Structure formats: structure tokens, C-alpha cells
Amino acid sequence: MYLCGMIISNIKRIVALLIFSALILSTSFIADAAEVTVGAARIDLYKPWLEGRRVALLSNHTGMVGSKHTLDLLLENNVDVVTLFSPEHGFRGTADAGQHVASSVDEVTGIPIASLYNGGKRGPSPEVMAGVDVILVDLQDVGTRFYTYYITMLDVMEAAARHGKSVIVLDRPNPLGMSVDGPVLDMKLRSGVGRLPIPVLHGLTLGELAKMAVGEGWLPGASSIDLKVVPCKDYTHSTRYALPVAPSPNLRSMKAIYLYPSLCYFEGTTASVGRGTDMPFLVYGHPLMKARGFSFTPRSVPGAKNPPLRDKRCNGVDLREVDDEAAIDGGVDLSYIIDAYNSMTQGKSRFFNSFFDKLIGNTKIRPMIEAGRSADEIKATWRDEVAQFKKLRSRYLLYPEQ
């Protein structure tokens, strides 16, 4: 019966991945991720830590080991998984950005799913924590301060500290791990898109970031957290790691991920970054921008049910031909947001909103853009704090830079 159940489980998980992949209309993820062994695949290293313990797994659709989900790998190895935790976008990864996801039960295994992105209190409830001994974290982050998966991991770590539970991070590469750039978060702007005093591009894996959060005492009760990290094998911070699975519905290609640290700030403006099209995070535009021969119209689609500027024709800029290495080298490149602002024919006074400040991490950048400062001038303002952060970062690296 168990074997039949696992076969059905695998079939349903494959179907779920195919459904998710159907949303990815322009994917260019390359399957060379096999060159790196992710932490979850190294079960011989961490299974002894799970013997006789009740396990909670924080994961989603990115928690894959080859064609198999980490949950299935754990169950096949007789690990007692009693609870599933899910981050933004849900356990299957298909919910919209920011969409609250209710807790539920996994229809295949019957294991309860406790959503950590349900609009309620942050982190798992005391009742759920009472039923587990150790929490496994297996998520594919993209390496920016405003991508929420690491924040959910921190919520779980804080809960573990309060309840005396262990945390094991099954590490995965950071596809932007070669870059450290952007202003360090002003902690007065601490929010759901920024939790730690780190740059926009921190250049750390989730395992390294967890170690830093504990080592620097950035989490309540940090000194009491029983934290272990299962490292990747054959990964360096200069590795061009192509993700085998899209991490969220609107990051559909490596180029979109490489541009994401420079384009996400459009979410704090009246402009569109292509949500509701087959080009999210590869274009930007607004109906009131000057026409330059390219336009797009956001529509309601799976993964972007109510996108900004829905059903409105946007004059815009197409970045699909930007070279990947140029996008990587640009780091946090504000030239796109500056171009959009300067191209507005009217409505400049309403272009930015307060969410922009939370995304960029301080209140100084917006006035500089409005005053006409260049992207290079603005980047120079955070150069010293990035240099200081790099020194701090070096204490927690699990992988070589080259």
C-alpha cells in the first residue's frame, strides 16, 4: 500500500509541476543544475539527525532533488514528517505574489500544511511547534533582500528559538551569489520585504544567511538556536547556477532573475514590470511614458490575477535582449527606474509610493532620483557600506568565492 501511495504521490507531484510549468511561457531555465549537488540530496549526512524525531519540512515546489520532491525522499527514507510549512506562493508555488494562502492538508500524504503566508501572525503557531522536534528548510531563494523566502526561514528560526526546537537548512545555491550590491537596509524600514541589515544583493545562500543571522545576534534568542546547515557540493559563489525550477510564477527565466535586483523597485511605482504578460521582469512601461516603438498590455493570467495597469496599453522598454553577464555585472542598476521616471509625460509627482522606500531599503534614494541624479552617482552612495558588509559576509561563507 505504501509503495502504491508513493507511486500515486510521485505522479501527482509531476502533474503539479507540469501545471506550474504551463504557467512558464518563456522559460529558459537550463538543466545544468546537475553539476551541483544540493543539500537535500545529501540525505546520508542529515538523516542521522532526524532519527526518532518529529520533522516539519519548510518547502515548496522548488524543493526538488532531480525529479523527486524532498518530501518524497524523506518519506522513502522513513523520516517521520508530521507537518509541512509553506512560504509565499504556497506549497505548490502557484499563488500570486503577496496572495495570502490558507493552511490545508496535503491530499497525497495526508500531512497537514501550515501556511506561513496566510495574513495572520508571522511564523508557526505554538500548537504546531509543540508537535515537532526539528524543522528542515529546503527552499530555492534568489538572493535578494526583498525576496520573501529567507524571511519565512527567519520566522521559523525565531519560533524554534522560542520553543527549543532544532533547525536544519538543506542549502541550495544562490543564483545571484556572485554579487553584493545595493544599500544596506535602514532597519527603520524593516518589513515583510526586508528583515535584516543587509544589502539588496547579499551574495549568500540561505544556509550562510541563517548562520549570519545567528552569529550576529539579529534574531531574538539567536544564541539558543540549534542550527545546522547541510552544504551543497561543487558550488562556488562564482558558479552560474541555472535553476531547474522557476522559483515563483513571475520569475520565469535566468535573465529575469538577473534583472530582478534592478527591476523590482517598479513594484513601488505606478508603472508595470510586465506582470500579466509573458515577459514579467523583462520589460517595464506605463501608459504615460513616451512612446518608443514597444508596448504591452497586462492581462489577468494565472500567477498575476490582478496585475498593475491591467488591460491598459503601456508604452515601454523591452529588456529581453540584454546580455546575461551585463545584467549580472550591473548589480543593482537604477538606470531603468530613472529612465521610466524621466520618460513620464505627466504624473511624475505620483510615480513613487512608500513601498519603493521599503524595497530599496532607505528614504534617500527616491529624492535623488527626483533631483536628477544619475544611476552611477546614486550607486556611489552605498559603496562604503557594501565594502563593510563584504568583510562581515566573509566570516560566514561556506563556499569559496571562485
Side-chain angles (χ1 to χ4, degrees):
M1 290 296 292
Y2 177 76
L3 179 59
C4 292
M6 290 305 301
I7 293 172
I8 294 172
S9 171
N10 286 332
I11 291 173
K12 289 191 174 183
R13 291 188 194 287
I14 291 170
V15 169
L17 284 171
L18 288 173
I19 292 171
F20 181 79
S21 298
L23 303 178
I24 311 306
L25 303 178
S26 58
T27 181
S28 64
F29 289 92
I30 306 168
D32 61 2
E35 297 173 8
V36 174
T37 303
V38 298
R42 309 181 74 183
I43 192 164
D44 289 346
L45 295 183
Y46 62 89
K47 185 181 176 183
W49 300 334
L50 308 177
E51 298 289 349
R53 307 181 80 184
R54 299 167 298 173
V55 176
L57 173 64
L58 167 58
S59 190
N60 61 6
H61 66 286
T62 66
M64 300 296 292
V65 177
S67 61
K68 183 179 299 184
H69 197 279
T70 299
L71 174 59
D72 295 324
L73 180 65
L74 294 170
L75 295 177
E76 287 175 4
N77 281 271
N78 299 314
V79 174
D80 185 19
V81 181
V82 297
T83 299
L84 303 174
F85 291 142
S86 65
E88 184 178 10
H89 305 294
F91 193 74
R92 302 297 179 189
T94 55
D96 284 6
Q99 178 183 339
H100 295 155
V101 179
S103 296
S104 59
V105 174
D106 183 64
E107 63 178 17
V108 177
T109 63
I111 298 173
I113 301 174
S115 173
L116 304 183
Y117 206 85
N118 59 10
K121 275 188 166 184
R122 301 199 68 91
S125 69
E127 293 77 17
V128 171
M129 291 298 294
V132 305
D133 301 309
V134 58
I135 302 165
L136 286 179
V137 178
D138 185 28
L139 292 167
Q140 179 59 67
D141 197 59
V142 301
T144 63
R145 188 185 62 225
F146 36 66
Y147 204 67
T148 61
Y149 292 172
Y150 86 92
I151 295 176
T152 301
M153 177 186 73
L154 297 178
D155 290 338
V156 164
M157 291 173 64
E158 290 185 13
R162 289 194 300 271
H163 296 278
K165 311 297 181 177
S166 302
V167 176
I168 302 172
V169 178
L170 307 178
D171 217 7
R172 289 180 179 267
N174 177 352
L176 296 170
M178 70 292 289
S179 302
V180 181
D181 195 17
V184 171
L185 177 67
D186 179 347
M187 292 299 280
K188 293 177 183 176
L189 294 172
R190 184 177 183 269
S191 71
V193 290
R195 178 66 65 85
L196 301 176
I198 57 179
V200 171
L201 283 166
H202 49 73
L204 297 165
T205 65
L206 282 188
E208 291 169 330
L209 195 55
K211 285 169 59 68
M212 177 180 278
V214 171
E216 295 302 308
W218 288 340
L219 300 180
S223 61
S224 67
I225 297 176
D226 177 21
L227 172 69
K228 294 182 176 68
V229 177
V230 181
C232 304
K233 184 180 179 183
D234 299 324
Y235 168 70
T236 76
H237 280 286
S238 63
T239 300
R240 297 302 190 259
Y241 181 77
L243 303 189
V245 178
S248 50
N250 288 283
L251 286 179
R252 305 176 181 182
S253 70
M254 291 310 300
K255 192 182 301 296
I257 288 174
Y258 296 147
L259 288 168
Y260 182 62
S262 301
L263 297 186
C264 189
Y265 316 106
F266 281 98
E267 310 276 44
T269 73
T270 58
S272 168
V273 74
R275 290 185 186 273
T277 74
D278 61 358
M279 307 167 287
F281 292 98
L282 294 172
V283 299
Y284 62 88
H286 192 284
L288 298 178
M289 277 176 57
K290 296 173 184 175
R292 287 183 249 180
F294 174 75
S295 65
F296 60 89
T297 303
R299 306 290 189 189
S300 178
V301 298
K305 295 183 179 65
N306 190 28
L309 299 175
R310 175 179 172 180
D311 298 329
K312 295 181 179 179
R313 182 176 178 273
C314 297
N315 298 318
V317 175
D318 185 354
L319 302 176
R320 285 175 290 180
E321 298 304 316
V322 170
D323 179 72
D324 285 356
E325 290 301 316
I328 292 170
D329 292 342
V332 175
D333 183 356
L334 295 181
S335 64
Y336 306 118
I337 202 87
I338 291 171
D339 172 68
Y341 177 75
N342 290 337
S343 297
M344 293 290 288
T345 57
Q346 55 182 295
K348 276 189 174 183
S349 63
R350 300 184 300 277
F351 184 76
F352 293 104
N353 59 52
S354 61
F355 193 51
F356 176 87
D357 295 339
K358 291 180 179 180
L359 289 169
I360 196 65
N362 66 44
T363 58
K364 301 175 183 177
I365 305 300
R366 185 187 349 180
M368 285 191 278
I369 294 174
E370 293 171 336
R373 302 281 291 275
S374 71
D376 287 340
E377 287 178 303
I378 296 173
K379 187 185 282 278
T381 65
W382 62 65
R383 186 172 296 137
D384 289 345
E385 58 192 52
V386 167
Q388 292 176 353
F389 178 79
K390 284 182 176 179
K391 292 179 182 178
L392 178 65
R393 170 180 174 270
S394 66
R395 303 178 197 168
Y396 298 99
L397 294 182
L398 297 172
Y399 313 98
E401 297 277 45
Q402 300 293 332

